[in-house]
Amino acid sequence: VLIFALHNIFTKEASPRGYQLLKLLQSYVELDMYASLKVHTETTIQKGQEELLVFEKALHEYMPFNPAKSWSFPKSHTHKHMFDDIQQKGVTRNYNTKPNEKCHGAFKNSYKFRTNFKNVAPQILKFDHANLVATVIRDDIDYLDLSQAEASAEDSQIQVTRNIIGTAHVSLGSQCAPVAFSDLEDEHSADSAFKDFRKKIGRFFTRYLGRLVRFGPSDQVNFDL
């Protein structure tokens, strides 16, 4: 909408540079329209190729207004081969990257927030693996909840009482009371596995979570789930 509204402002006399830019953008919009067609014919291919010549002419006419700008970038170059590619491979929706752009969001976030920006591939793969494991666990829990809900619905229909594992008669957890890290290390001082136990746990969660985790001597270990 803004482009069309500017036609009365960026006239050839008032703003030669703006006027030429509008001509370039107009041709680009035309090209984009032809590129996004879901069905092509010989006529649309021909019209698109003709518009490509108009675009290239408008681009070369605009270049002197912005000599510092380099137009040698992928999205500008792909137009030159676009209609040849359409004839060889089909319409652009068959090989468009837009449908999968959001699939890489997790990788982007891992790179930005959980790596040190050096040798990032192994780090990203580790976080992706952890994310996949968490997703599988979450799916299993959701499936269990759904199964229990369906079982409860069946019970109410046939009026039969069933005991479902994980309800009143089953308790997951430990009978051990919460204990401070310092007390736990002192209690098992003879066991080398508990030497610097607090620091070992901190390093483990630091690697797993991708951020610094530290536990104090007075922090408690809670054995309940």
Side-chain angles (χ1 to χ4, degrees):
V1 176
L2 181 62
I3 295 176
F4 297 107
L6 290 175
H7 276 276
N8 293 330
I9 301 175
F10 287 169
T11 62
K12 188 174 183 179
E13 294 76 17
S15 177
R17 178 178 178 177
Y19 177 77
Q20 190 59 45
L21 178 60
L22 286 178
K23 289 179 61 177
L24 179 62
L25 291 175
Q26 179 188 11
S27 181
Y28 180 86
V29 171
E30 293 283 344
L31 272 180
D32 186 68
M33 182 270 295
Y34 283 114
S36 60
L37 290 177
K38 298 179 181 179
V39 177
H40 273 282
T41 64
E42 293 181 355
T43 301
T44 58
I45 293 292
Q46 180 183 351
K47 292 294 184 181
Q49 291 172 335
E50 292 173 357
E51 188 59 42
L52 180 59
L53 297 177
V54 175
F55 174 78
E56 291 181 351
K57 179 182 178 182
L59 178 59
H60 283 87
E61 291 176 351
Y62 178 73
M63 283 182 178
F65 291 101
N66 192 1
K69 170 69 176 178
S70 173
W71 294 90
S72 181
F73 53 89
K75 287 191 176 181
S76 176
H77 180 75
T78 52
H79 282 81
K80 299 179 180 179
H81 309 286
M82 178 170 57
F83 295 102
D84 292 335
D85 290 340
I86 290 174
Q87 288 178 307
Q88 295 174 7
K89 306 171 187 177
V91 295
T92 56
R93 68 177 303 178
N94 294 338
Y95 46 91
N96 198 322
T97 60
K98 290 181 180 179
N100 296 319
E101 282 183 350
K102 292 188 177 180
C103 290
H104 305 294
F107 292 148
K108 180 191 70 175
N109 292 334
S110 294
Y111 172 79
K112 184 176 180 181
F113 299 112
R114 307 182 72 179
T115 71
N116 59 0
F117 306 108
K118 298 177 182 178
N119 192 25
V120 297
Q123 300 178 63
I124 292 177
L125 288 176
K126 182 181 71 173
F127 298 135
D128 184 57
H129 177 262
N131 183 61
L132 178 60
V133 171
T135 301
V136 172
I137 294 174
R138 179 72 263 175
D139 289 343
D140 288 344
I141 293 175
D142 291 341
Y143 180 74
L144 176 62
D145 292 341
L146 178 62
S147 299
Q148 291 181 346
E150 292 176 349
S152 298
E154 292 177 1
D155 289 345
S156 62
Q157 292 177 0
I158 62 178
Q159 297 181 351
V160 174
T161 302
R162 298 176 182 173
N163 292 326
I164 302 175
I165 295 176
T167 55
H169 69 288
V170 174
S171 177
L172 300 178
S174 172
Q175 295 181 353
C176 298
V179 59
F181 278 106
S182 58
D183 295 336
L184 187 64
E185 292 175 349
D186 292 341
E187 183 179 351
H188 299 276
S189 58
D191 190 343
S192 60
F194 283 87
K195 183 179 180 180
D196 296 329
F197 181 71
R198 170 175 57 87
K199 297 179 180 179
K200 293 177 181 178
I201 290 293
R203 287 195 293 268
F204 169 79
F205 280 108
T206 296
R207 290 193 303 270
Y208 182 76
L209 299 176
R211 59 185 180 86
L212 182 62
V213 177
R214 290 180 178 175
F215 295 104
S218 60
D219 291 336
Q220 291 188 334
V221 181
N222 194 333
F223 296 94
D224 292 334
L225 295 179

